[in-house]
Amino acid sequence: MTKERAVERQKKLIEILGLLHEGGHFEEAKKMFDESFSDVDVSEITSAERELIAGGLDPAEIQKLCTVHASVFKGAIKDIHHSNYEHETPGHPVHTLKLENIVIKSLLHDELLPLFEKIVKGDLTLQNKIVTVLEDLYQIDTHYKRKEMLIFSYMEKYGITAPPQVMWGVDDDIRSEIKQLITDFSDPKFIINQLREPLFEMVENVDEMIFKEEEIMIPMVLEVFSLEDWEEISENSFDIGFAFIPKPLIYKASDAAKEVSLEHEPRRLAAIQESIQFSQAQQKSMKSEEVKEETVFVNLPTGKLNIEEMKAMFSVLPVDLTVVDADDRVRFYSEGPDRVFPRTTSVLGREVVNCHPPKSMHMVEKILEEFKAGTKDDADFWIDLGPRKVYIRYFALRDENKTYLGCLEVTQDVTKIQALEGQKRLLD
């Protein structure tokens, strides 16, 4: 394909996607696509979406129409030549992801929907069964976490930033939909006709996410990720866990795969460079724009702060904060100038017990068990770290209904505080 032809195709794809985002009809966009394309590369679709974001379109808007995009292109996305030939090997993260998707599809179409239709016909004894299936389906949370914490992080490393932003938002929507359906179907007074639309919408969204994972995301990353990347992703996957299937093997690239990947390294490097160049151009254009961005505020019971204020606050607090969610995985840490214990982004998504030395793991587990049981709300320790006295505190996080949300770890160097004597008034 000539450069001129590639540019023409890109402009047409942007025109079609732009039409959808400006309120155009799906049928019109589909007709435009069918008239102009017999097939399309994944890279062309994602480049068009990236151009729209670079032009000022909120990624959330692309997220809203993500399913529509997939429907427009479905059946026309062509196979591309992959630099990795072992992605169908048991243990390879792609193979594992696809195995989980097979189970997800079966849960949706072989269990959930048939159960729903039987309930519609009057068999209300199946209410508990459909709740059990929905709870089983919520294992999808682990499936998505592995994708978000590992595959997305490597995509971003190579400058592929738009697809993760969009897909993560859709993942969160699906999680919320399943949770709400579990609540609705657990209600003894549920009204079946009111649940048909949200149930079918959730099923459609999950099906479309499987399509996006397998037909858009996977072909894209197979062009860019190295065999070493896949080996690291496979190994780190065990820290997050697996959904629906037994633990797979840890993937190790074969000698034959390494030889083939060497042959295709120039192509991989070219794909990486294209992603990096786009990312740099996008950042440059954003810096040159004089349009003032809308300030986003977080409303709290005692006031509100914007995101920049919150980042600045966390950066100057004289304590290190780490937030662990209800599943005992690290969700956040503050970045002060002098952390007592260093943290890197690789800790995000890991089980918190694995972030501690073996000798203290049992203590962390005991604290979390007591927090979850409601028998304790806080715990504290102090240790000598060389010449420093370090004070470590744990606090259970609960909502208004006392539901356990997670744990806050607060670490502080109190050496100077212990040395304080006398008084120092504000005016001194």
Side-chain angles (χ1 to χ4, degrees):
M1 185 190 303
T2 65
K3 185 176 181 180
E4 291 75 14
R5 177 61 179 152
V7 171
E8 288 176 12
R9 286 169 63 91
Q10 186 73 3
K11 286 181 178 178
K12 195 66 179 179
L13 282 173
I14 292 171
E15 180 185 351
I16 293 168
L17 293 178
L19 170 68
L20 288 169
H21 287 277
E22 290 168 7
H25 294 295
F26 167 81
E27 292 78 9
E28 184 182 356
K30 181 67 174 171
K31 182 181 178 183
M32 286 175 62
F33 177 79
D34 291 341
E35 289 175 349
S36 304
F37 299 89
S38 59
D39 55 35
V40 64
D41 266 345
V42 169
S43 59
E44 291 181 291
I45 299 171
T46 54
S47 291
E49 290 185 339
R50 289 187 301 187
E51 287 287 352
L52 288 170
I53 292 174
L57 183 66
D58 187 342
E61 288 301 311
I62 290 183
Q63 175 189 325
K64 289 178 185 176
L65 289 180
C66 200
T67 297
V68 179
H69 292 184
S71 298
V72 169
F73 304 128
K74 188 173 285 186
I77 297 176
K78 65 181 181 180
D79 291 333
I80 56 177
H81 191 62
H82 302 311
S83 57
N84 286 286
Y85 283 90
E86 290 209 328
H87 56 278
E88 295 301 336
T89 303
H92 192 289
V94 169
H95 185 269
T96 301
L97 183 142
K98 287 186 174 183
L99 277 181
E100 291 180 343
N101 279 340
I102 290 171
V103 182
I104 292 169
K105 286 181 182 178
S106 180
L107 273 174
L108 293 176
H109 299 284
D110 299 333
E111 294 193 54
L112 185 61
L113 293 182
L115 274 173
F116 179 76
E117 293 305 331
K118 288 178 181 178
I119 294 175
V120 169
K121 291 176 182 178
D123 191 351
L124 299 182
T125 62
L126 296 173
Q127 181 182 3
N128 290 338
K129 176 66 174 175
I130 203 169
V131 171
T132 300
V133 173
L134 285 165
E135 289 173 341
D136 195 16
L137 179 63
Y138 196 73
Q139 289 184 64
I140 207 169
D141 175 55
T142 302
H143 176 89
Y144 289 160
K145 276 181 181 175
R146 225 174 47 249
K147 175 179 66 177
E148 294 156 356
M149 296 296 179
L150 296 173
I151 294 179
F152 284 2
S153 66
Y154 281 83
M155 290 173 77
E156 290 160 2
K157 180 178 77 171
Y158 290 120
I160 307 172
T161 55
Q165 287 177 344
V166 174
M167 291 180 78
W168 201 323
V170 178
D171 289 348
D172 284 342
D173 289 344
I174 290 171
R175 289 181 176 106
S176 297
E177 289 167 355
I178 298 173
K179 277 186 175 181
Q180 187 60 51
L181 285 166
I182 291 171
T183 300
D184 292 341
F185 276 102
S186 298
D187 186 345
K189 299 180 181 179
F190 76 95
I191 301 174
I192 193 69
N193 290 334
Q194 292 181 355
L195 297 180
R196 177 181 289 275
E197 184 177 342
L199 177 69
F200 278 52
E201 184 176 343
M202 180 275 290
V203 171
E204 181 183 4
N205 288 339
V206 174
D207 279 338
E208 291 294 345
M209 179 53 71
I210 291 172
F211 172 79
K212 287 170 229 168
E213 287 178 351
E214 297 191 3
E215 302 299 330
I216 296 177
M217 180 188 77
I218 288 174
M220 184 191 313
V221 297
L222 284 174
E223 286 292 298
V224 172
F225 289 6
S226 68
L227 292 177
E228 290 75 21
D229 291 334
W230 288 118
E231 288 178 335
E232 290 172 8
I233 291 170
S234 173
E235 184 175 353
N236 291 330
S237 292
F238 287 81
D239 288 335
I240 297 174
F242 303 92
F244 311 108
I245 63 172
K247 285 184 180 180
L249 302 169
I250 294 181
Y251 169 70
K252 292 295 180 185
S254 67
D255 292 339
K258 291 176 181 177
E259 289 182 15
V260 173
S261 69
L262 286 175
E263 294 175 15
H264 294 282
E265 186 65 5
R267 177 176 181 146
R268 189 181 81 88
L269 293 176
I272 293 171
Q273 193 58 38
E274 180 184 348
S275 296
I276 292 173
Q277 286 174 351
F278 179 87
S279 181
Q280 290 174 341
Q282 184 176 344
Q283 291 175 355
K284 189 175 181 181
S285 66
M286 289 173 65
K287 287 180 181 178
S288 64
E289 288 178 355
E290 295 182 356
V291 179
K292 186 177 180 180
E293 293 185 1
E294 182 181 353
T295 303
V296 178
F297 286 92
V298 176
N299 291 308
L300 301 166
T302 53
K304 64 179 184 179
L305 297 168
N306 66 43
I307 299 300
E308 293 304 317
E309 290 169 338
M310 292 186 72
K311 286 164 62 177
M313 179 180 71
F314 284 126
S315 71
V316 298
L317 280 174
V319 294
D320 300 343
L321 304 178
T322 302
V323 176
V324 176
D325 66 17
D327 296 322
D328 302 337
R329 296 190 180 278
V330 179
R331 293 289 300 275
F332 166 84
Y333 63 89
S334 61
E335 296 183 284
D338 300 303
R339 283 198 62 94
V340 177
F341 301 112
R343 293 271 192 269
T344 66
T345 54
S346 63
V347 76
L348 297 175
R350 294 190 67 192
E351 287 194 46
V352 68
V353 291
N354 294 331
C355 301
H356 291 78
K359 63 182 180 181
S360 60
M361 278 184 176
H362 69 287
M363 287 303 302
V364 176
E365 289 175 338
K366 184 173 185 295
I367 291 169
L368 294 176
E369 287 171 4
E370 291 174 335
F371 283 179
K372 290 176 183 177
T375 57
K376 209 167 189 178
D377 288 318
D378 58 77
D380 59 355
F381 307 90
W382 45 97
I383 60 173
D384 293 323
L385 204 62
R388 298 187 294 172
K389 179 72 74 175
V390 176
Y391 187 26
I392 305 168
R393 289 177 285 177
Y394 295 91
F395 300 93
L397 302 176
R398 309 186 194 279
D399 63 16
E400 294 177 355
N401 298 318
K402 303 299 181 184
T403 302
Y404 180 70
L405 303 177
C407 169
L408 173 66
E409 179 189 85
V410 182
T411 305
Q412 185 175 13
D413 181 346
V414 295
T415 310
K416 291 183 179 179
I417 295 175
Q418 285 190 317
L420 292 177
E421 294 181 356
Q423 299 183 69
K424 181 179 181 181
R425 297 180 180 275
L426 187 62
L427 297 179
D428 287 350

